Amino acid sequence: AQKVTQAQTEISVVEKEDVTLDCVYETRDTTYYLFWYKQPPSGELVFLIRRNSFDEQNEISGRYSWNFQKSTSSFNFTITASQVVDSAVYFCALIANDYKLSFGAGTTVTVRA
Amino acid sequence: ETGVTQTPRHLVMGMTNKKSLKCEQHLGHNAMYWYKQSAKKPLELMFVYSLEERVENNSVPSRFSPECPNSSHLFLHLHTLQPEDSALYLCASSQGLISNEQFFGPGTRLTVL
């Protein structure tokens, strides 16, 4: 069985600060996929990124960046120069050979103006 | 319509009522899912359909009954629910079961009185 841990329940920052969300995962499978989703107050889960277990390259997309480290089973997410519109719940998730997408508990990010 | 749509967006029902939630995906995907999101709990996978066949029933009570008449539509039939079933019910779709991201609908906020 897979497990995803997001130890940070809530993070509050002031606009323009950087914020890093931690994600640690557990799986016995060698092939797996990691995801980050954003859930704004409207409720819809928005896909942000997918990473497979064989690709440890970090990725940057605008103000978002992801750091995947297999050695520590972590897939952390950083928002640079945060904005009020970044306020949401962010979920890390993992899927492996049992095709069940396992979500972490989520981290609520509040960006204050 | 684009993406994944869900109707109704809000539903209030009594414990003796029968109602149905509808999900439609316009992405040409071949897999669809139902999730339950309760307050203070991680997202729970309820049902998985691949090519219109149910491949997962995640120990869900029989008062929830899914139906997938074709690859674009997914229903969740509800009867004799309990107040603890009040939650946000999210539908998702993907191309394949493992490697590709799931796209989520906006959810149905269900309240059982």
mmCIF file with all atom_site columns, all heavy atoms in Angstrom, chain A residues 33 35 37 39 44 47 50 91 95 99-101, chain B residues 35 37 55-56 58 97-102 104:
data_model
loop_
_atom_site.group_PDB
_atom_site.id
_atom_site.type_symbol
_atom_site.label_atom_id
_atom_site.label_alt_id
_atom_site.label_comp_id
_atom_site.label_asym_id
_atom_site.label_entity_id
_atom_site.label_seq_id
_atom_site.pdbx_PDB_ins_code
_atom_site.Cartn_x
_atom_site.Cartn_y
_atom_site.Cartn_z
_atom_site.occupancy
_atom_site.B_iso_or_equiv
_atom_site.pdbx_formal_charge
_atom_site.auth_seq_id
_atom_site.auth_comp_id
_atom_site.auth_asym_id
_atom_site.auth_atom_id
_atom_site.pdbx_PDB_model_num
ATOM 1   N N   . TYR A 1 33  ? 4.078   7.232  -9.817  1.00 0.00 ? 33  TYR A N   1
ATOM 2   C CA  . TYR A 1 33  ? 3.891   8.590  -10.318 1.00 0.00 ? 33  TYR A CA  1
ATOM 3   C C   . TYR A 1 33  ? 3.470   9.484  -9.168  1.00 0.00 ? 33  TYR A C   1
ATOM 4   O O   . TYR A 1 33  ? 2.650   9.094  -8.325  1.00 0.00 ? 33  TYR A O   1
ATOM 5   C CB  . TYR A 1 33  ? 2.832   8.627  -11.425 1.00 0.00 ? 33  TYR A CB  1
ATOM 6   C CG  . TYR A 1 33  ? 3.228   7.815  -12.636 1.00 0.00 ? 33  TYR A CG  1
ATOM 7   C CD1 . TYR A 1 33  ? 3.010   6.437  -12.667 1.00 0.00 ? 33  TYR A CD1 1
ATOM 8   C CD2 . TYR A 1 33  ? 3.829   8.426  -13.735 1.00 0.00 ? 33  TYR A CD2 1
ATOM 9   C CE1 . TYR A 1 33  ? 3.399   5.686  -13.761 1.00 0.00 ? 33  TYR A CE1 1
ATOM 10  C CE2 . TYR A 1 33  ? 4.214   7.677  -14.837 1.00 0.00 ? 33  TYR A CE2 1
ATOM 11  C CZ  . TYR A 1 33  ? 3.998   6.321  -14.837 1.00 0.00 ? 33  TYR A CZ  1
ATOM 12  O OH  . TYR A 1 33  ? 4.378   5.577  -15.930 1.00 0.00 ? 33  TYR A OH  1
ATOM 13  N N   . PHE A 1 35  ? 2.099   13.418 -7.962  1.00 0.00 ? 35  PHE A N   1
ATOM 14  C CA  . PHE A 1 35  ? 1.307   14.540 -8.460  1.00 0.00 ? 35  PHE A CA  1
ATOM 15  C C   . PHE A 1 35  ? 1.172   15.605 -7.378  1.00 0.00 ? 35  PHE A C   1
ATOM 16  O O   . PHE A 1 35  ? 1.245   15.321 -6.179  1.00 0.00 ? 35  PHE A O   1
ATOM 17  C CB  . PHE A 1 35  ? -0.118  14.084 -8.827  1.00 0.00 ? 35  PHE A CB  1
ATOM 18  C CG  . PHE A 1 35  ? -0.185  12.963 -9.820  1.00 0.00 ? 35  PHE A CG  1
ATOM 19  C CD1 . PHE A 1 35  ? -0.073  11.642 -9.407  1.00 0.00 ? 35  PHE A CD1 1
ATOM 20  C CD2 . PHE A 1 35  ? -0.376  13.226 -11.163 1.00 0.00 ? 35  PHE A CD2 1
ATOM 21  C CE1 . PHE A 1 35  ? -0.144  10.589 -10.313 1.00 0.00 ? 35  PHE A CE1 1
ATOM 22  C CE2 . PHE A 1 35  ? -0.455  12.184 -12.081 1.00 0.00 ? 35  PHE A CE2 1
ATOM 23  C CZ  . PHE A 1 35  ? -0.334  10.873 -11.651 1.00 0.00 ? 35  PHE A CZ  1
ATOM 24  N N   . TYR A 1 37  ? -1.768  18.672 -6.639  1.00 0.00 ? 37  TYR A N   1
ATOM 25  C CA  . TYR A 1 37  ? -3.034  19.286 -7.013  1.00 0.00 ? 37  TYR A CA  1
ATOM 26  C C   . TYR A 1 37  ? -3.284  20.486 -6.120  1.00 0.00 ? 37  TYR A C   1
ATOM 27  O O   . TYR A 1 37  ? -2.880  20.514 -4.960  1.00 0.00 ? 37  TYR A O   1
ATOM 28  C CB  . TYR A 1 37  ? -4.199  18.305 -6.832  1.00 0.00 ? 37  TYR A CB  1
ATOM 29  C CG  . TYR A 1 37  ? -4.312  17.233 -7.887  1.00 0.00 ? 37  TYR A CG  1
ATOM 30  C CD1 . TYR A 1 37  ? -3.618  16.031 -7.765  1.00 0.00 ? 37  TYR A CD1 1
ATOM 31  C CD2 . TYR A 1 37  ? -5.125  17.419 -8.999  1.00 0.00 ? 37  TYR A CD2 1
ATOM 32  C CE1 . TYR A 1 37  ? -3.735  15.047 -8.730  1.00 0.00 ? 37  TYR A CE1 1
ATOM 33  C CE2 . TYR A 1 37  ? -5.250  16.432 -9.971  1.00 0.00 ? 37  TYR A CE2 1
ATOM 34  C CZ  . TYR A 1 37  ? -4.549  15.257 -9.828  1.00 0.00 ? 37  TYR A CZ  1
ATOM 35  O OH  . TYR A 1 37  ? -4.671  14.279 -10.791 1.00 0.00 ? 37  TYR A OH  1
ATOM 36  N N   . GLN A 1 39  ? -6.460  22.890 -4.618  1.00 0.00 ? 39  GLN A N   1
ATOM 37  C CA  . GLN A 1 39  ? -7.908  22.982 -4.428  1.00 0.00 ? 39  GLN A CA  1
ATOM 38  C C   . GLN A 1 39  ? -8.245  24.362 -3.876  1.00 0.00 ? 39  GLN A C   1
ATOM 39  O O   . GLN A 1 39  ? -8.140  24.617 -2.680  1.00 0.00 ? 39  GLN A O   1
ATOM 40  C CB  . GLN A 1 39  ? -8.418  21.892 -3.485  1.00 0.00 ? 39  GLN A CB  1
ATOM 41  C CG  . GLN A 1 39  ? -9.937  21.832 -3.419  1.00 0.00 ? 39  GLN A CG  1
ATOM 42  C CD  . GLN A 1 39  ? -10.449 20.666 -2.571  1.00 0.00 ? 39  GLN A CD  1
ATOM 43  O OE1 . GLN A 1 39  ? -9.865  20.329 -1.553  1.00 0.00 ? 39  GLN A OE1 1
ATOM 44  N NE2 . GLN A 1 39  ? -11.538 20.044 -3.014  1.00 0.00 ? 39  GLN A NE2 1
ATOM 45  N N   . GLU A 1 44  ? -12.828 22.704 -6.735  1.00 0.00 ? 44  GLU A N   1
ATOM 46  C CA  . GLU A 1 44  ? -12.338 21.850 -7.810  1.00 0.00 ? 44  GLU A CA  1
ATOM 47  C C   . GLU A 1 44  ? -10.843 21.597 -7.661  1.00 0.00 ? 44  GLU A C   1
ATOM 48  O O   . GLU A 1 44  ? -10.061 22.516 -7.465  1.00 0.00 ? 44  GLU A O   1
ATOM 49  C CB  . GLU A 1 44  ? -12.617 22.510 -9.158  1.00 0.00 ? 44  GLU A CB  1
ATOM 50  C CG  . GLU A 1 44  ? -12.243 21.688 -10.352 1.00 0.00 ? 44  GLU A CG  1
ATOM 51  C CD  . GLU A 1 44  ? -12.744 22.294 -11.642 1.00 0.00 ? 44  GLU A CD  1
ATOM 52  O OE1 . GLU A 1 44  ? -13.591 23.210 -11.587 1.00 0.00 ? 44  GLU A OE1 1
ATOM 53  O OE2 . GLU A 1 44  ? -12.306 21.862 -12.717 1.00 0.00 ? 44  GLU A OE2 1
ATOM 54  N N   . PHE A 1 47  ? -5.040  20.069 -11.400 1.00 0.00 ? 47  PHE A N   1
ATOM 55  C CA  . PHE A 1 47  ? -3.783  19.374 -11.588 1.00 0.00 ? 47  PHE A CA  1
ATOM 56  C C   . PHE A 1 47  ? -2.662  20.383 -11.806 1.00 0.00 ? 47  PHE A C   1
ATOM 57  O O   . PHE A 1 47  ? -2.800  21.326 -12.584 1.00 0.00 ? 47  PHE A O   1
ATOM 58  C CB  . PHE A 1 47  ? -3.907  18.436 -12.792 1.00 0.00 ? 47  PHE A CB  1
ATOM 59  C CG  . PHE A 1 47  ? -2.603  17.938 -13.332 1.00 0.00 ? 47  PHE A CG  1
ATOM 60  C CD1 . PHE A 1 47  ? -1.897  16.969 -12.645 1.00 0.00 ? 47  PHE A CD1 1
ATOM 61  C CD2 . PHE A 1 47  ? -2.092  18.426 -14.515 1.00 0.00 ? 47  PHE A CD2 1
ATOM 62  C CE1 . PHE A 1 47  ? -0.692  16.495 -13.146 1.00 0.00 ? 47  PHE A CE1 1
ATOM 63  C CE2 . PHE A 1 47  ? -0.900  17.970 -15.027 1.00 0.00 ? 47  PHE A CE2 1
ATOM 64  C CZ  . PHE A 1 47  ? -0.191  16.996 -14.339 1.00 0.00 ? 47  PHE A CZ  1
ATOM 65  N N   . ARG A 1 50  ? 2.882   16.273 -12.773 1.00 0.00 ? 50  ARG A N   1
ATOM 66  C CA  . ARG A 1 50  ? 3.083   14.849 -12.655 1.00 0.00 ? 50  ARG A CA  1
ATOM 67  C C   . ARG A 1 50  ? 4.577   14.557 -12.817 1.00 0.00 ? 50  ARG A C   1
ATOM 68  O O   . ARG A 1 50  ? 5.248   15.170 -13.655 1.00 0.00 ? 50  ARG A O   1
ATOM 69  C CB  . ARG A 1 50  ? 2.315   14.096 -13.743 1.00 0.00 ? 50  ARG A CB  1
ATOM 70  C CG  . ARG A 1 50  ? 2.529   12.605 -13.742 1.00 0.00 ? 50  ARG A CG  1
ATOM 71  C CD  . ARG A 1 50  ? 1.945   11.975 -14.978 1.00 0.00 ? 50  ARG A CD  1
ATOM 72  N NE  . ARG A 1 50  ? 2.642   12.430 -16.179 1.00 0.00 ? 50  ARG A NE  1
ATOM 73  C CZ  . ARG A 1 50  ? 2.307   12.074 -17.399 1.00 0.00 ? 50  ARG A CZ  1
ATOM 74  N NH1 . ARG A 1 50  ? 1.297   11.282 -17.603 1.00 0.00 ? 50  ARG A NH1 1
ATOM 75  N NH2 . ARG A 1 50  ? 2.980   12.524 -18.432 1.00 0.00 ? 50  ARG A NH2 1
ATOM 76  N N   . PHE A 1 91  ? -2.518  19.427 -2.422  1.00 0.00 ? 91  PHE A N   1
ATOM 77  C CA  . PHE A 1 91  ? -2.432  17.998 -2.144  1.00 0.00 ? 91  PHE A CA  1
ATOM 78  C C   . PHE A 1 91  ? -1.312  17.374 -2.956  1.00 0.00 ? 91  PHE A C   1
ATOM 79  O O   . PHE A 1 91  ? -1.175  17.618 -4.158  1.00 0.00 ? 91  PHE A O   1
ATOM 80  C CB  . PHE A 1 91  ? -3.738  17.284 -2.517  1.00 0.00 ? 91  PHE A CB  1
ATOM 81  C CG  . PHE A 1 91  ? -4.905  17.646 -1.655  1.00 0.00 ? 91  PHE A CG  1
ATOM 82  C CD1 . PHE A 1 91  ? -5.783  18.647 -2.040  1.00 0.00 ? 91  PHE A CD1 1
ATOM 83  C CD2 . PHE A 1 91  ? -5.133  16.973 -0.460  1.00 0.00 ? 91  PHE A CD2 1
ATOM 84  C CE1 . PHE A 1 91  ? -6.874  18.981 -1.248  1.00 0.00 ? 91  PHE A CE1 1
ATOM 85  C CE2 . PHE A 1 91  ? -6.222  17.306 0.335   1.00 0.00 ? 91  PHE A CE2 1
ATOM 86  C CZ  . PHE A 1 91  ? -7.086  18.312 -0.062  1.00 0.00 ? 91  PHE A CZ  1
ATOM 87  N N   . ILE A 1 95  ? 0.533   7.397  -7.194  1.00 0.00 ? 95  ILE A N   1
ATOM 88  C CA  . ILE A 1 95  ? -0.130  6.220  -7.739  1.00 0.00 ? 95  ILE A CA  1
ATOM 89  C C   . ILE A 1 95  ? 0.944   5.252  -8.200  1.00 0.00 ? 95  ILE A C   1
ATOM 90  O O   . ILE A 1 95  ? 1.971   5.657  -8.745  1.00 0.00 ? 95  ILE A O   1
ATOM 91  C CB  . ILE A 1 95  ? -1.095  6.594  -8.880  1.00 0.00 ? 95  ILE A CB  1
ATOM 92  C CG1 . ILE A 1 95  ? -2.035  5.433  -9.194  1.00 0.00 ? 95  ILE A CG1 1
ATOM 93  C CG2 . ILE A 1 95  ? -0.340  7.034  -10.125 1.00 0.00 ? 95  ILE A CG2 1
ATOM 94  C CD1 . ILE A 1 95  ? -3.204  5.839  -10.072 1.00 0.00 ? 95  ILE A CD1 1
ATOM 95  N N   . TYR A 1 99  ? -3.102  1.185  -9.048  1.00 0.00 ? 99  TYR A N   1
ATOM 96  C CA  . TYR A 1 99  ? -3.933  2.223  -9.695  1.00 0.00 ? 99  TYR A CA  1
ATOM 97  C C   . TYR A 1 99  ? -4.859  2.976  -8.744  1.00 0.00 ? 99  TYR A C   1
ATOM 98  O O   . TYR A 1 99  ? -5.874  3.523  -9.150  1.00 0.00 ? 99  TYR A O   1
ATOM 99  C CB  . TYR A 1 99  ? -4.725  1.670  -10.902 1.00 0.00 ? 99  TYR A CB  1
ATOM 100 C CG  . TYR A 1 99  ? -5.618  0.481  -10.631 1.00 0.00 ? 99  TYR A CG  1
ATOM 101 C CD1 . TYR A 1 99  ? -6.819  0.615  -9.944  1.00 0.00 ? 99  TYR A CD1 1
ATOM 102 C CD2 . TYR A 1 99  ? -5.274  -0.778 -11.093 1.00 0.00 ? 99  TYR A CD2 1
ATOM 103 C CE1 . TYR A 1 99  ? -7.622  -0.465 -9.712  1.00 0.00 ? 99  TYR A CE1 1
ATOM 104 C CE2 . TYR A 1 99  ? -6.075  -1.866 -10.870 1.00 0.00 ? 99  TYR A CE2 1
ATOM 105 C CZ  . TYR A 1 99  ? -7.252  -1.715 -10.180 1.00 0.00 ? 99  TYR A CZ  1
ATOM 106 O OH  . TYR A 1 99  ? -8.064  -2.793 -9.954  1.00 0.00 ? 99  TYR A OH  1
ATOM 107 N N   . LYS A 1 100 ? -4.509  3.009  -7.464  1.00 0.00 ? 100 LYS A N   1
ATOM 108 C CA  . LYS A 1 100 ? -5.267  3.830  -6.512  1.00 0.00 ? 100 LYS A CA  1
ATOM 109 C C   . LYS A 1 100 ? -4.453  5.087  -6.226  1.00 0.00 ? 100 LYS A C   1
ATOM 110 O O   . LYS A 1 100 ? -3.336  5.011  -5.718  1.00 0.00 ? 100 LYS A O   1
ATOM 111 C CB  . LYS A 1 100 ? -5.494  3.067  -5.217  1.00 0.00 ? 100 LYS A CB  1
ATOM 112 C CG  . LYS A 1 100 ? -6.362  1.842  -5.346  1.00 0.00 ? 100 LYS A CG  1
ATOM 113 C CD  . LYS A 1 100 ? -6.553  1.190  -3.983  1.00 0.00 ? 100 LYS A CD  1
ATOM 114 C CE  . LYS A 1 100 ? -7.310  -0.112 -4.106  1.00 0.00 ? 100 LYS A CE  1
ATOM 115 N NZ  . LYS A 1 100 ? -7.494  -0.770 -2.800  1.00 0.00 ? 100 LYS A NZ  1
ATOM 116 N N   . LEU A 1 101 ? -5.031  6.210  -6.545  1.00 0.00 ? 101 LEU A N   1
ATOM 117 C CA  . LEU A 1 101 ? -4.344  7.473  -6.282  1.00 0.00 ? 101 LEU A CA  1
ATOM 118 C C   . LEU A 1 101 ? -4.475  7.792  -4.800  1.00 0.00 ? 101 LEU A C   1
ATOM 119 O O   . LEU A 1 101 ? -5.579  8.006  -4.293  1.00 0.00 ? 101 LEU A O   1
ATOM 120 C CB  . LEU A 1 101 ? -4.962  8.574  -7.143  1.00 0.00 ? 101 LEU A CB  1
ATOM 121 C CG  . LEU A 1 101 ? -4.263  9.927  -7.130  1.00 0.00 ? 101 LEU A CG  1
ATOM 122 C CD1 . LEU A 1 101 ? -2.825  9.815  -7.607  1.00 0.00 ? 101 LEU A CD1 1
ATOM 123 C CD2 . LEU A 1 101 ? -5.037  10.916 -8.001  1.00 0.00 ? 101 LEU A CD2 1
ATOM 124 N N   . TYR B 2 35  ? -14.729 10.015 -5.774  1.00 0.00 ? 35  TYR B N   1
ATOM 125 C CA  . TYR B 2 35  ? -14.031 10.247 -4.521  1.00 0.00 ? 35  TYR B CA  1
ATOM 126 C C   . TYR B 2 35  ? -14.984 10.920 -3.536  1.00 0.00 ? 35  TYR B C   1
ATOM 127 O O   . TYR B 2 35  ? -15.864 11.676 -3.922  1.00 0.00 ? 35  TYR B O   1
ATOM 128 C CB  . TYR B 2 35  ? -12.840 11.193 -4.712  1.00 0.00 ? 35  TYR B CB  1
ATOM 129 C CG  . TYR B 2 35  ? -11.662 10.614 -5.448  1.00 0.00 ? 35  TYR B CG  1
ATOM 130 C CD1 . TYR B 2 35  ? -11.597 10.649 -6.830  1.00 0.00 ? 35  TYR B CD1 1
ATOM 131 C CD2 . TYR B 2 35  ? -10.598 10.049 -4.756  1.00 0.00 ? 35  TYR B CD2 1
ATOM 132 C CE1 . TYR B 2 35  ? -10.513 10.139 -7.516  1.00 0.00 ? 35  TYR B CE1 1
ATOM 133 C CE2 . TYR B 2 35  ? -9.502  9.532  -5.426  1.00 0.00 ? 35  TYR B CE2 1
ATOM 134 C CZ  . TYR B 2 35  ? -9.468  9.581  -6.807  1.00 0.00 ? 35  TYR B CZ  1
ATOM 135 O OH  . TYR B 2 35  ? -8.385  9.074  -7.482  1.00 0.00 ? 35  TYR B OH  1
ATOM 136 N N   . GLN B 2 37  ? -14.783 13.482 -0.192  1.00 0.00 ? 37  GLN B N   1
ATOM 137 C CA  . GLN B 2 37  ? -13.922 14.365 0.591   1.00 0.00 ? 37  GLN B CA  1
ATOM 138 C C   . GLN B 2 37  ? -14.711 14.898 1.774   1.00 0.00 ? 37  GLN B C   1
ATOM 139 O O   . GLN B 2 37  ? -15.598 15.730 1.620   1.00 0.00 ? 37  GLN B O   1
ATOM 140 C CB  . GLN B 2 37  ? -13.387 15.521 -0.256  1.00 0.00 ? 37  GLN B CB  1
ATOM 141 C CG  . GLN B 2 37  ? -12.354 16.361 0.481   1.00 0.00 ? 37  GLN B CG  1
ATOM 142 C CD  . GLN B 2 37  ? -11.765 17.461 -0.372  1.00 0.00 ? 37  GLN B CD  1
ATOM 143 O OE1 . GLN B 2 37  ? -12.414 17.965 -1.285  1.00 0.00 ? 37  GLN B OE1 1
ATOM 144 N NE2 . GLN B 2 37  ? -10.516 17.832 -0.103  1.00 0.00 ? 37  GLN B NE2 1
ATOM 145 N N   . VAL B 2 55  ? -13.509 -1.575 -11.707 1.00 0.00 ? 55  VAL B N   1
ATOM 146 C CA  . VAL B 2 55  ? -12.295 -2.281 -11.339 1.00 0.00 ? 55  VAL B CA  1
ATOM 147 C C   . VAL B 2 55  ? -11.971 -2.124 -9.868  1.00 0.00 ? 55  VAL B C   1
ATOM 148 O O   . VAL B 2 55  ? -11.056 -2.753 -9.361  1.00 0.00 ? 55  VAL B O   1
ATOM 149 C CB  . VAL B 2 55  ? -11.089 -1.801 -12.179 1.00 0.00 ? 55  VAL B CB  1
ATOM 150 C CG1 . VAL B 2 55  ? -11.311 -2.127 -13.634 1.00 0.00 ? 55  VAL B CG1 1
ATOM 151 C CG2 . VAL B 2 55  ? -10.815 -0.325 -11.993 1.00 0.00 ? 55  VAL B CG2 1
ATOM 152 N N   . GLU B 2 56  ? -12.719 -1.287 -9.180  1.00 0.00 ? 56  GLU B N   1
ATOM 153 C CA  . GLU B 2 56  ? -12.424 -1.075 -7.772  1.00 0.00 ? 56  GLU B CA  1
ATOM 154 C C   . GLU B 2 56  ? -13.694 -0.669 -7.047  1.00 0.00 ? 56  GLU B C   1
ATOM 155 O O   . GLU B 2 56  ? -14.424 0.202  -7.498  1.00 0.00 ? 56  GLU B O   1
ATOM 156 C CB  . GLU B 2 56  ? -11.379 0.016  -7.584  1.00 0.00 ? 56  GLU B CB  1
ATOM 157 C CG  . GLU B 2 56  ? -10.997 0.305  -6.135  1.00 0.00 ? 56  GLU B CG  1
ATOM 158 C CD  . GLU B 2 56  ? -10.272 -0.840 -5.474  1.00 0.00 ? 56  GLU B CD  1
ATOM 159 O OE1 . GLU B 2 56  ? -9.543  -1.555 -6.171  1.00 0.00 ? 56  GLU B OE1 1
ATOM 160 O OE2 . GLU B 2 56  ? -10.411 -1.034 -4.249  1.00 0.00 ? 56  GLU B OE2 1
ATOM 161 N N   . ASN B 2 58  ? -14.051 0.276  -3.241  1.00 0.00 ? 58  ASN B N   1
ATOM 162 C CA  . ASN B 2 58  ? -13.170 0.424  -2.096  1.00 0.00 ? 58  ASN B CA  1
ATOM 163 C C   . ASN B 2 58  ? -13.915 0.317  -0.776  1.00 0.00 ? 58  ASN B C   1
ATOM 164 O O   . ASN B 2 58  ? -13.920 1.239  0.014   1.00 0.00 ? 58  ASN B O   1
ATOM 165 C CB  . ASN B 2 58  ? -12.458 1.778  -2.221  1.00 0.00 ? 58  ASN B CB  1
ATOM 166 C CG  . ASN B 2 58  ? -11.062 1.743  -1.641  1.00 0.00 ? 58  ASN B CG  1
ATOM 167 O OD1 . ASN B 2 58  ? -10.436 0.691  -1.549  1.00 0.00 ? 58  ASN B OD1 1
ATOM 168 N ND2 . ASN B 2 58  ? -10.568 2.896  -1.240  1.00 0.00 ? 58  ASN B ND2 1
ATOM 169 N N   . LEU B 2 97  ? -5.181  4.039  -16.285 1.00 0.00 ? 97  LEU B N   1
ATOM 170 C CA  . LEU B 2 97  ? -5.392  3.995  -14.836 1.00 0.00 ? 97  LEU B CA  1
ATOM 171 C C   . LEU B 2 97  ? -4.205  4.461  -14.018 1.00 0.00 ? 97  LEU B C   1
ATOM 172 O O   . LEU B 2 97  ? -4.355  4.771  -12.847 1.00 0.00 ? 97  LEU B O   1
ATOM 173 C CB  . LEU B 2 97  ? -5.727  2.555  -14.421 1.00 0.00 ? 97  LEU B CB  1
ATOM 174 C CG  . LEU B 2 97  ? -7.121  2.063  -14.764 1.00 0.00 ? 97  LEU B CG  1
ATOM 175 C CD1 . LEU B 2 97  ? -7.258  0.594  -14.397 1.00 0.00 ? 97  LEU B CD1 1
ATOM 176 C CD2 . LEU B 2 97  ? -8.182  2.878  -14.050 1.00 0.00 ? 97  LEU B CD2 1
ATOM 177 N N   . ILE B 2 98  ? -3.022  4.501  -14.585 1.00 0.00 ? 98  ILE B N   1
ATOM 178 C CA  . ILE B 2 98  ? -1.864  4.706  -13.725 1.00 0.00 ? 98  ILE B CA  1
ATOM 179 C C   . ILE B 2 98  ? -1.041  5.934  -14.096 1.00 0.00 ? 98  ILE B C   1
ATOM 180 O O   . ILE B 2 98  ? -0.830  6.807  -13.259 1.00 0.00 ? 98  ILE B O   1
ATOM 181 C CB  . ILE B 2 98  ? -0.949  3.454  -13.739 1.00 0.00 ? 98  ILE B CB  1
ATOM 182 C CG1 . ILE B 2 98  ? -1.698  2.254  -13.157 1.00 0.00 ? 98  ILE B CG1 1
ATOM 183 C CG2 . ILE B 2 98  ? 0.327   3.720  -12.933 1.00 0.00 ? 98  ILE B CG2 1
ATOM 184 C CD1 . ILE B 2 98  ? -0.903  0.969  -13.160 1.00 0.00 ? 98  ILE B CD1 1
ATOM 185 N N   . SER B 2 99  ? -0.581  6.009  -15.314 1.00 0.00 ? 99  SER B N   1
ATOM 186 C CA  . SER B 2 99  ? 0.493   6.956  -15.615 1.00 0.00 ? 99  SER B CA  1
ATOM 187 C C   . SER B 2 99  ? 0.038   8.386  -15.837 1.00 0.00 ? 99  SER B C   1
ATOM 188 O O   . SER B 2 99  ? 0.834   9.305  -15.725 1.00 0.00 ? 99  SER B O   1
ATOM 189 C CB  . SER B 2 99  ? 1.276   6.487  -16.836 1.00 0.00 ? 99  SER B CB  1
ATOM 190 O OG  . SER B 2 99  ? 0.409   6.399  -17.948 1.00 0.00 ? 99  SER B OG  1
ATOM 191 N N   . ASN B 2 100 ? -1.224  8.577  -16.138 1.00 0.00 ? 100 ASN B N   1
ATOM 192 C CA  . ASN B 2 100 ? -1.674  9.927  -16.480 1.00 0.00 ? 100 ASN B CA  1
ATOM 193 C C   . ASN B 2 100 ? -2.464  10.569 -15.356 1.00 0.00 ? 100 ASN B C   1
ATOM 194 O O   . ASN B 2 100 ? -3.104  9.899  -14.555 1.00 0.00 ? 100 ASN B O   1
ATOM 195 C CB  . ASN B 2 100 ? -2.520  9.908  -17.749 1.00 0.00 ? 100 ASN B CB  1
ATOM 196 C CG  . ASN B 2 100 ? -1.686  9.545  -18.965 1.00 0.00 ? 100 ASN B CG  1
ATOM 197 O OD1 . ASN B 2 100 ? -0.592  10.074 -19.149 1.00 0.00 ? 100 ASN B OD1 1
ATOM 198 N ND2 . ASN B 2 100 ? -2.185  8.646  -19.778 1.00 0.00 ? 100 ASN B ND2 1
ATOM 199 N N   . GLU B 2 101 ? -2.419  11.894 -15.351 1.00 0.00 ? 101 GLU B N   1
ATOM 200 C CA  . GLU B 2 101 ? -3.097  12.626 -14.297 1.00 0.00 ? 101 GLU B CA  1
ATOM 201 C C   . GLU B 2 101 ? -4.604  12.483 -14.412 1.00 0.00 ? 101 GLU B C   1
ATOM 202 O O   . GLU B 2 101 ? -5.151  12.299 -15.504 1.00 0.00 ? 101 GLU B O   1
ATOM 203 C CB  . GLU B 2 101 ? -2.703  14.116 -14.351 1.00 0.00 ? 101 GLU B CB  1
ATOM 204 C CG  . GLU B 2 101 ? -2.965  14.790 -15.677 1.00 0.00 ? 101 GLU B CG  1
ATOM 205 C CD  . GLU B 2 101 ? -1.794  14.635 -16.654 1.00 0.00 ? 101 GLU B CD  1
ATOM 206 O OE1 . GLU B 2 101 ? -0.983  13.699 -16.504 1.00 0.00 ? 101 GLU B OE1 1
ATOM 207 O OE2 . GLU B 2 101 ? -1.725  15.450 -17.580 1.00 0.00 ? 101 GLU B OE2 1
ATOM 208 N N   . GLN B 2 102 ? -5.260  12.592 -13.248 1.00 0.00 ? 102 GLN B N   1
ATOM 209 C CA  . GLN B 2 102 ? -6.708  12.594 -13.213 1.00 0.00 ? 102 GLN B CA  1
ATOM 210 C C   . GLN B 2 102 ? -7.182  14.043 -13.226 1.00 0.00 ? 102 GLN B C   1
ATOM 211 O O   . GLN B 2 102 ? -6.615  14.896 -12.555 1.00 0.00 ? 102 GLN B O   1
ATOM 212 C CB  . GLN B 2 102 ? -7.196  11.882 -11.948 1.00 0.00 ? 102 GLN B CB  1
ATOM 213 C CG  . GLN B 2 102 ? -6.849  10.399 -11.948 1.00 0.00 ? 102 GLN B CG  1
ATOM 214 C CD  . GLN B 2 102 ? -7.311  9.685  -10.704 1.00 0.00 ? 102 GLN B CD  1
ATOM 215 O OE1 . GLN B 2 102 ? -8.165  10.167 -9.952  1.00 0.00 ? 102 GLN B OE1 1
ATOM 216 N NE2 . GLN B 2 102 ? -6.752  8.509  -10.462 1.00 0.00 ? 102 GLN B NE2 1
ATOM 217 N N   . PHE B 2 104 ? -10.341 16.505 -12.391 1.00 0.00 ? 104 PHE B N   1
ATOM 218 C CA  . PHE B 2 104 ? -11.468 16.478 -11.474 1.00 0.00 ? 104 PHE B CA  1
ATOM 219 C C   . PHE B 2 104 ? -12.560 17.459 -11.876 1.00 0.00 ? 104 PHE B C   1
ATOM 220 O O   . PHE B 2 104 ? -12.292 18.527 -12.436 1.00 0.00 ? 104 PHE B O   1
ATOM 221 C CB  . PHE B 2 104 ? -11.002 16.824 -10.056 1.00 0.00 ? 104 PHE B CB  1
ATOM 222 C CG  . PHE B 2 104 ? -10.253 15.712 -9.387  1.00 0.00 ? 104 PHE B CG  1
ATOM 223 C CD1 . PHE B 2 104 ? -8.925  15.472 -9.678  1.00 0.00 ? 104 PHE B CD1 1
ATOM 224 C CD2 . PHE B 2 104 ? -10.891 14.895 -8.461  1.00 0.00 ? 104 PHE B CD2 1
ATOM 225 C CE1 . PHE B 2 104 ? -8.223  14.439 -9.073  1.00 0.00 ? 104 PHE B CE1 1
ATOM 226 C CE2 . PHE B 2 104 ? -10.211 13.861 -7.839  1.00 0.00 ? 104 PHE B CE2 1
ATOM 227 C CZ  . PHE B 2 104 ? -8.878  13.631 -8.143  1.00 0.00 ? 104 PHE B CZ  1
#
